[in-house]
Amino acid sequence: MSLATSTRPLPSGLAVLMALPDVLFIPELTFGGLVWILVASSKVPLPPLQGWVMFVSVFCFIMSITLLCLYICGTHKGSSSWVTLDVICQETAALFYFSAAVLEAFTTYVISFSFLDHLTYAQYQENIAAVVFAFLATLVYVVHSMFSLLRWKSS
């Protein structure tokens, strides 16, 4: 896609699902939901670390679904502050998810040495999958924030 498609104002209605930066809400929700499910279903040997991962996945999921619903409903029409809000939300989510992905990777690394005898291999694989999806969610949020910054700059 060309750069010109990312510099249009915020779409509304179902056009949200066709515009380049805003279509990224779908993989954000998918990967974030998978992180949420995987961390919630796994054993939690280090509650403070995985508690942050759980908070980030739930917070970003709710934030993304709320923004998506508001954009589809068209509540942002007539206000220029929504583009700024979009940038702030996407950058905050990217930063939060990066920290959560690093903490989940560290937790999985620690689990592999000290807690593996108490966990089954399937539970360990759940943590590995949570790490992978957390980094994928981070990547999608970073890409979305970059395109949101381009839209903000052009508005």
Side-chain angles (χ1 to χ4, degrees), residues 37-143:
I37 291 167
L38 289 167
V39 172
S41 68
S42 69
K43 298 282 186 192
V44 182
L46 301 171
L49 299 181
Q50 287 185 301
W52 175 251
V53 176
M54 193 68 180
F55 167 76
V56 168
S57 61
V58 172
F59 173 77
C60 291
F61 187 87
I62 291 172
M63 180 194 64
S64 294
I65 198 84
T66 302
L67 279 175
L68 180 63
C69 290
L70 290 173
Y71 292 166
I72 288 175
C73 292
T75 57
H76 60 281
K77 290 292 184 185
S79 176
S80 63
S81 62
W82 282 90
V83 176
T84 305
L85 175 71
D86 187 48
V87 170
I88 291 169
C89 289
Q90 298 308 322
E91 288 190 352
T92 301
L95 178 67
F96 277 14
Y97 251 112
F98 180 69
S99 68
V102 169
L103 286 176
E104 184 65 21
F106 176 73
T107 302
T108 304
Y109 176 74
V110 169
I111 286 171
S112 70
F113 291 113
S114 55
F115 295 105
L116 199 54
D117 55 332
H118 300 293
L119 298 175
T120 65
Y121 188 66
Q123 293 165 339
Y124 179 65
Q125 286 179 326
E126 283 179 1
N127 285 326
I128 291 173
V131 169
V132 170
F133 288 123
F135 277 109
L136 286 173
T138 301
L139 178 66
V140 173
Y141 276 110
V142 166
V143 170

